[in-house]
Amino acid sequence: MSKKDNGASVILAYLNEKNRPYSAQDVFCNLQKQHGLGKTAVVKAMELLAIEGKIKEKMYGKQKIYFADQAQFKDVSDNDLKEMDTQISKLNADLQSLTQNCRQLDSELKELNNSLTTEDMNNEIKQLKEECSGFKSRLEKIKSATNHVTPEEKEKVSKEQILYVKEWKKRKRLASDMMNSILEGYPKSKREFLEEVGVETDEDYKVTIPNI
């Protein structure tokens, strides 16, 4: 692009390629990054192209719209339009399919990124093996211990517990009956009576009888 050209050739080629209406601001935004065109230069170039008849200009309210001269394009038949519509539909379908594939691949990539690497898996396997070895060692120690409780000993302890709990309940009931009889003629409260005679209850020590 020469200085004398001032971007006109680039703008003309762009409008002919896109073949759709643009304002000077649109063209400036679309081309300035790639071609380094200033806004003033774009406005002047488009006005000059319109004066020379290379592009068309129309006013929409207070805004000027520019577009390619349609005379340079050959007429399109109805059959051609239908063929283009069919091609557009096919391309849209292809685009949708590719978009779906991209989403699927992106999902798979995220899963792979979140999964363990080979090195991480090897380290975890090593750690699990070490833990397993420790558990096996503890199991062997337990098996080799000589202080196991036999089923007979366990049953004996269980029967003794039942017997003691039964006796506990019996004695607590007898004590309660005796205390209630005394309290019928006692002028003070039950708590005061217990403190006076120095009796300590299960409740004082937050002890409950096992439910057997």
Side-chain angles (χ1 to χ4, degrees):
M1 182 178 66
S2 65
K3 292 183 179 180
K4 185 177 180 180
D5 180 79
N6 205 23
S9 60
V10 172
I11 295 170
L12 177 60
Y14 179 75
L15 291 177
N16 287 336
E17 177 189 356
K18 300 301 181 183
N19 194 21
R20 52 165 293 181
Y22 287 106
S23 67
Q25 178 66 31
D26 294 332
V27 174
F28 165 70
C29 292
N30 295 340
L31 297 181
Q32 64 95 14
K33 186 175 181 180
Q34 182 178 358
H35 299 281
L37 299 176
K39 184 174 180 180
T40 301
V42 170
V43 172
K44 288 182 178 180
M46 296 183 76
E47 289 177 347
L48 179 61
L49 288 170
I51 292 172
E52 294 176 347
K54 295 180 179 179
I55 61 175
K56 297 298 180 180
E57 173 189 284
K58 281 191 176 182
M59 290 293 298
Y60 284 91
K62 296 181 179 180
Q63 187 178 35
K64 290 182 179 180
I65 298 297
Y66 300 90
F67 52 92
D69 183 5
Q70 299 302 301
Q72 64 182 308
F73 302 114
K74 66 178 182 179
D75 293 336
V76 180
S77 65
D78 290 341
N79 289 334
D80 291 336
L81 289 174
K82 289 180 180 179
E83 186 177 343
M84 288 180 185
D85 287 339
T86 301
Q87 187 176 4
I88 290 172
S89 298
K90 182 179 180 304
L91 290 173
N92 283 333
D94 292 342
L95 176 60
Q96 187 175 1
S97 176
L98 288 172
T99 301
Q100 183 65 31
N101 289 338
C102 286
R103 289 175 181 171
Q104 179 66 28
L105 291 173
D106 185 56
S107 176
E108 293 176 2
L109 179 60
K110 288 180 179 179
E111 289 183 6
L112 289 173
N113 288 335
N114 292 331
S115 62
L116 294 175
T117 63
T118 303
E119 182 179 358
D120 292 336
M121 291 179 67
N122 288 333
N123 290 335
E124 187 153 342
I125 291 172
K126 181 181 178 182
Q127 182 179 351
L128 290 173
K129 285 182 176 180
E130 291 176 353
E131 292 179 0
C132 185
S133 177
F135 291 143
K136 286 182 178 179
S137 178
R138 289 175 58 186
L139 181 60
E140 292 299 327
K141 289 181 180 179
I142 292 172
K143 288 181 177 180
S144 61
T146 58
N147 59 346
H148 294 303
V149 177
T150 64
E152 293 78 12
E153 292 173 328
K154 183 178 180 181
E155 184 178 0
K156 180 183 178 183
V157 170
S158 178
K159 287 181 178 179
E160 289 178 351
Q161 183 187 26
I162 293 173
L163 177 63
Y164 294 145
V165 169
K166 184 178 180 180
E167 188 66 23
W168 183 358
K169 289 180 180 179
K170 178 181 176 182
R171 293 189 180 190
K172 184 170 184 177
R173 184 172 60 254
L174 290 173
S176 179
D177 291 343
M178 291 174 59
M179 186 168 53
N180 289 335
S181 298
I182 296 172
L183 288 173
E184 288 180 0
Y186 188 74
K188 299 180 182 180
S189 67
K190 179 180 178 180
R191 172 54 57 187
E192 289 174 321
F193 170 74
L194 292 174
E195 291 178 355
E196 186 173 327
V197 298
V199 175
E200 296 176 335
T201 66
D202 294 338
E203 288 73 19
D204 291 335
Y205 290 91
K206 296 181 172 56
V207 176
T208 57
I209 299 177
N211 186 19
I212 298 178

